[in-house]
Amino acid sequence: MKIAILGMGKIGSGVYEFVSNNPNLEVKRTLDLKVWMDNMTTDIDDIVNDPEIEAVVETMGGLEPARTYALKCLNAKKHYITANKLLVSEAMKELKDAADKSGAAFLFSASCGGGIPVLKCLHDQALSDDIVEFGGILNGTTNYMLDRIETDSMTYEDALKEAQSLGYAEADPTSDVDGLDAQRKLILGLAVGFGAYVKGEDIPVNGIRNIRPIDIAYFKEKGVSPRLIASCKKDGEAISADVCVHLFKSNASESAIKKNVNYAYYVGKQSGHFSFSGQGAGKYPTAANVISDLMRIISGAKHMLPNGLKDVSEIASGEYRYYVRISEEKAFLIESFAETALHKDDWAIIETKPINHKTLLNTLNATGESFFARMHK
Ligand code: HSE
């Protein structure tokens, strides 16, 4: 099958290398911002109008022009494979419609979990069982940072710089540290697993931006490890979903996930719990997931999204206990939720009674530097 690759950065060049060694595939054109190799173009129409190109791989990232290119390719009956979670989380419905109309395939395994095959397994599992949970450690950058901060007492700033230099972070790392990258991957899992389309604005999210040495010292004393978790559950028609730091005891699977490794799980109502861990980012793992989508298309695969995606905006929120660090002067805001409180430097450190994530988020939003994390029993 002759293909084109849009975006010849790290992942795109990994796909190119894999294709060079695959007798079933051939790269006919590539597209980038400037022409710097043979058969490269800057004009998408050179690809859209080439009848020999059957499939297009997009590894550019960003919403535009990726969305416009995807629609052009799908409308021209070209199979579309993308590693772009922002694109899929924002535009999956129109892309699926375009694919369904033209008969082209639309697959995006590498958009969640990098090299981990969680989305395609989730898709397969959803064909035979009712999926009731999905989630995990879906962002490598923040896991790398939390591990370095916790294990090696590195500062937040140095850990972020290191994660960026290793190529784990997004171009704008605020989407990693604020939990938005994990939230986008959760949106893909909600769609593939539950058949629900949930917008980012409806999923409560708080990331690791405000974590400080005082929090880490408290966690070490309590024997718990912080991990950024994106998770969703289905209970009948009710769906809950959120992204926040959870505190795990040392015997939990999540505590053993170090560096940039991802850990993803799903639960089938009848088939039970499945989990995957592996490289959630990086050139070759992500490129391998793209190649496997291409090979599945050759075998006849068409899509990963169920028909009739349902818009869901009512997201339920369970009640959990939280660790909260808040300035002494603002501590009165959550006094009524406090179960225990201690005071250190100018901070109040509070363990709350069971409380709703959204309520806590709304209460703390006004307090700048505060940090919170969900406690497990
Ligand atoms: N920035 C992302 C991460 C890259 O750290 O997980 C892979 O999606």
Side-chain angles (χ1 to χ4, degrees):
M1 181 164 69
K2 290 193 177 154
I3 72 160
I5 304 173
L6 314 182
M8 282 295 287
K10 201 172 53 164
I11 317 266
S13 55
V15 173
Y16 192 95
E17 282 180 51
F18 274 123
V19 170
S20 311
N21 295 316
N22 187 317
N24 300 294
L25 300 169
E26 180 188 331
V27 179
K28 171 122 196 258
R29 302 287 318 240
T30 57
L31 175 141
D32 215 343
L33 295 172
K34 279 191 285 196
V35 172
W36 52 268
M37 63 188 280
D38 285 350
N39 294 327
M40 185 174 259
T41 177
T42 57
D43 184 355
I44 187 68
D45 289 333
D46 288 339
I47 290 164
V48 172
N49 295 326
D50 184 334
E52 278 190 359
I53 294 174
E54 288 182 70
V56 178
V57 168
E58 184 259 309
T59 52
M60 305 184 305
L63 193 53
E64 284 295 351
R67 181 180 153 276
T68 305
Y69 289 0
L71 287 170
K72 276 189 164 208
C73 292
L74 287 166
N75 289 338
K77 298 186 175 40
K78 302 202 184 295
H79 307 307
Y80 206 76
I81 299 93
T82 179
N84 182 342
K85 61 245 153 179
L86 175 61
L87 170 73
V88 183
S89 67
E90 296 266 335
M92 64 172 81
K93 288 201 300 180
E94 59 179 334
L95 298 182
K96 181 175 186 322
D97 281 351
D100 287 349
K101 276 194 193 111
S102 72
F106 169 47
L107 299 182
F108 49 87
S109 299
S111 304
C112 174
I116 301 177
V118 62
L119 277 191
K120 55 190 165 221
C121 293
L122 181 64
H123 167 73
D124 284 355
Q125 200 78 29
L127 297 175
S128 60
D129 197 2
D130 194 13
I131 304 296
V132 290
E133 286 185 44
F134 166 79
I137 298 169
L138 303 182
N139 181 268
T141 301
T142 44
N143 207 61
Y144 185 85
M145 291 172 67
L146 289 172
D147 184 33
R148 292 290 270 156
I149 292 169
E150 185 192 13
T151 311
D152 306 311
S153 305
M154 195 176 241
T155 64
Y156 175 93
E157 289 74 20
D158 286 347
L160 176 56
K161 268 189 217 139
E162 203 172 88
Q164 283 179 290
S165 72
L166 289 165
Y168 305 145
E170 296 299 295
D172 173 5
T174 53
S175 57
D176 295 297
V177 297
D178 290 335
L180 298 174
D181 178 80
Q183 185 196 53
R184 287 170 193 142
K185 292 165 179 166
L186 189 63
I187 291 171
L188 307 197
L190 280 156
V192 174
F194 298 173
Y197 180 66
V198 185
K199 288 187 180 153
E201 67 207 41
D202 295 319
I203 301 178
V205 56
N206 75 299
I208 69 161
R209 179 186 290 274
N210 288 342
I211 198 165
R212 296 288 174 266
I214 185 173
D215 305 312
I216 299 291
Y218 188 84
F219 302 155
K220 281 190 173 162
E221 203 180 295
K222 296 281 174 182
V224 291
S225 292
R227 296 286 182 267
L228 185 71
I229 300 290
S231 59
C232 58
K233 277 189 189 173
K234 195 170 68 170
D235 185 6
E237 288 298 300
I239 289 179
S240 59
D242 65 17
V243 180
C244 76
V245 173
H246 289 221
L247 301 176
F248 292 101
K249 302 235 165 82
S250 56
N251 59 357
S253 310
E254 288 82 350
S255 297
I257 304 298
K258 310 280 188 191
K259 300 281 169 68
N260 66 323
V261 171
N262 278 196
Y263 168 83
Y265 65 85
Y266 57 77
V267 179
K269 198 170 180 179
Q270 309 299 338
S271 44
H273 186 278
F274 297 84
S275 62
F276 305 73
S277 63
Q279 291 297 311
K283 176 174 173 173
Y284 292 115
T286 310
N289 228 347
V290 168
I291 297 294
S292 100
D293 275 357
L294 284 163
M295 297 308 288
R296 289 197 304 136
I297 287 171
I298 290 176
S299 310
K302 275 281 155 79
H303 46 72
M304 313 179 63
L305 290 169
N307 288 326
L309 269 183
K310 221 166 107 184
D311 286 315
V312 178
S313 56
E314 284 295 311
I315 294 299
S317 193
E319 298 209 329
Y320 302 93
R321 295 180 67 230
Y322 288 89
Y323 160 94
V324 182
R325 176 186 42 83
I326 187 167
S327 68
E328 286 283 15
E329 58 184 20
K330 295 281 173 61
F332 71 92
L333 285 171
I334 62 158
E335 217 165 40
S336 60
F337 308 125
E339 200 170 76
T340 66
L342 63 85
H343 303 273
K344 205 169 174 194
D345 303 328
D346 289 331
W347 300 104
I349 291 180
I350 288 163
E351 290 188 5
T352 70
K353 300 172 191 161
I355 170 181
N356 181 295
H357 186 167
K358 275 189 207 161
T359 310
L360 189 56
L361 203 53
N362 292 339
T363 310
L364 296 180
N365 256 347
T367 63
E369 279 276 286
S370 61
F371 175 75
F372 71 90
R374 184 173 298 167
M375 295 166 61
H376 286 242
K377 280 181 200 130

